[in-house]
Amino acid sequence: EVQLVESGGGLVQPGGSLRLSCAASGFTFSYYWMHWVRQAPGKGLVWVSRIHSDGSSTTYADSVRGRFTISRDNAKNTVSLQMNSLRAEDTAVYFCARGDRGAFDLWGQGTLVTVSS
Amino acid sequence: DIQMAQSPSTLSASVGDRVTITCRASQSISSWLAWYQQKPGKAPKLLIYRASSLESGVPSRFYGSGSGTEFTLTISSLQPDDFATYYCQHYDNYMWTFGQGTKVEIK
């Protein structure tokens, strides 16, 4: 089955760190750019970060640049998001998504990150 | 940065209605424009890519069009399963931007 499954969400204090993971299956993972997209409670979708199919380049939204790091392991079919210096405004459901044709054609179910003291 | 503005923010419609959602860019953009449907508690689903190409498996009642700064998503005959929130999304220069969303409600 073609799918993405996120893990690693949870409750963290402001200033803390969390690492999200996304496991891919059912397709040739190494062919695709991968992304993280987030959605704050009751709000819209916001693109967070992207990584090239071979991991050679990355891009970040201004709101997370310098605090978040995206990485991937094509041997294990996983993409990760290391989140440091977390703020209350980072509270959201984080989706892993596959990039293709300028869009996101496959999404995971999402993992909730709550930043609160 | 290019901004994407969707309208309306909320739309009330009945089953069988023709529904149109508009996405306007702050400047002229290429056809790297996509549309998604999202239901509460679920991940978004890709409907349209490259402004007018229908994603595999998506019903043909969904239609995308537009160029320049104005793009539209049309649902030709609204079905019960179509009540959801819809987002446009643009890609340019390694950055991806979503519109703020349009909620389609039952009238």
Side-chain angles (χ1 to χ4, degrees):
Chain A
E1 181 184 1
V2 176
Q3 64 177 354
L4 298 170
V5 179
E6 301 95 337
S7 60
L11 175 64
V12 60
Q13 292 187 340
S17 298
L18 207 58
R19 186 177 181 88
L20 306 183
S21 292
C22 171
S25 58
F27 64 97
T28 306
F29 180 72
S30 62
Y31 284 4
Y32 294 90
W33 292 7
M34 295 299 297
H35 301 258
W36 288 94
V37 176
R38 70 184 182 185
Q39 187 170 36
K43 302 297 184 181
L45 300 167
V46 176
W47 171 80
V48 172
S49 183
R50 148 263 170 192
I51 187 166
H52 191 276
S53 56
D54 64 6
S56 61
S57 67
T58 59
T59 323
Y60 299 92
D62 289 346
S63 59
V64 306
R65 188 176 298 116
R67 300 188 298 123
F68 290 11
T69 303
I70 189 172
S71 61
R72 66 189 295 159
D73 185 336
N74 284 348
K76 295 182 178 179
N77 291 349
T78 59
V79 58
S80 299
L81 187 68
Q82 176 67 40
M83 304 186 295
N84 298 332
S85 303
L86 283 161
R87 307 165 180 168
E89 54 265 37
D90 295 319
T91 294
V93 173
Y94 284 74
F95 295 100
C96 168
R98 186 176 75 179
D100 192 25
R101 298 158 290 170
F104 310 111
D105 69 338
L106 179 67
W107 296 68
Q109 84 286 354
T111 187
L112 177 63
V113 172
T114 303
V115 184
S116 175
S117 54
Chain B
D1 292 354
I2 297 173
Q3 306 300 315
M4 308 300 293
Q6 272 184 250
S7 61
S9 55
T10 305
L11 186 160
S12 296
S14 301
V15 172
D17 284 354
R18 181 183 181 89
V19 166
T20 298
I21 298 168
T22 299
C23 185
R24 289 186 176 88
S26 56
Q27 63 190 75
S28 182
I29 62 174
S30 64
S31 60
W32 294 107
L33 194 286
W35 291 96
Y36 301 85
Q37 177 193 69
Q38 187 181 32
K39 296 181 179 179
K42 301 294 187 181
K45 173 186 175 183
L46 177 64
L47 302 174
I48 303 288
Y49 63 94
R50 293 303 304 270
S52 60
S53 296
L54 190 68
E55 176 71 344
S56 177
V58 174
S60 58
R61 63 180 180 272
F62 292 94
Y63 174 77
S65 63
S67 63
T69 61
E70 186 162 321
F71 297 82
T72 59
L73 173 69
T74 300
I75 308 173
S76 60
S77 177
L78 199 65
Q79 298 301 301
D81 190 49
D82 300 338
F83 292 97
T85 300
Y86 294 84
Y87 294 92
C88 64
Q89 169 256 309
H90 171 56
Y91 163 62
D92 178 67
N93 195 28
Y94 303 107
M95 300 293 285
W96 289 260
T97 307
F98 288 93
Q100 76 274 25
T102 294
K103 185 175 183 180
V104 177
E105 299 181 327
I106 300 173
K107 189 173 183 178

